[in-house]
């Protein structure tokens, strides 16, 4: 599943560690989500979208590219 976490995070000047702390997860989890190795749980995906002020559909894209 493709996502826009890295771009959204960088646009706000946040490090992976900053975002991880805000989400209550490890930096490794954020890294794994950004590179597509890990698809977050629905609650975490919703928290991430809410954090960035975006609908979850704008943060995560499940269509093939």
């Amino acid at each position: 599943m493709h996502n826009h976490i890295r771009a959204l995070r960088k646009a706000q000047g946040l490090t992976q560690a900053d975002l991880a702390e805000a989400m209550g997860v490890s930096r490794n989890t954020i890294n794994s989500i950004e590179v597509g190795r890990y698809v977050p749980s629905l609650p975490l995906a919703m928290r991430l979208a809410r954090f960035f002020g975006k609908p979850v559909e704008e943060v995560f894209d499940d269509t093939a590219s």
Side-chain angles (χ1 to χ4, degrees), residues 7-65:
L8 291 166
R9 175 180 60 75
K10 286 186 173 191
Q12 291 196 8
L14 300 170
T15 65
Q16 287 181 341
D18 294 333
L19 182 56
E21 184 176 338
M23 293 296 106
V25 299
S26 71
R27 187 203 57 79
N28 189 52
T29 297
I30 298 299
N31 178 264
S32 293
I33 293 169
E34 287 185 355
V35 299
R37 278 193 312 255
Y38 175 69
V39 177
S41 66
L42 183 55
L44 178 53
M46 292 177 75
R47 280 198 325 267
L48 283 161
R50 215 174 295 122
F51 180 83
F52 290 114
K54 304 277 186 191
V56 73
E57 299 87 356
E58 286 185 24
V59 178
F60 296 93
D61 180 7
D62 67 350
T63 60
S65 43

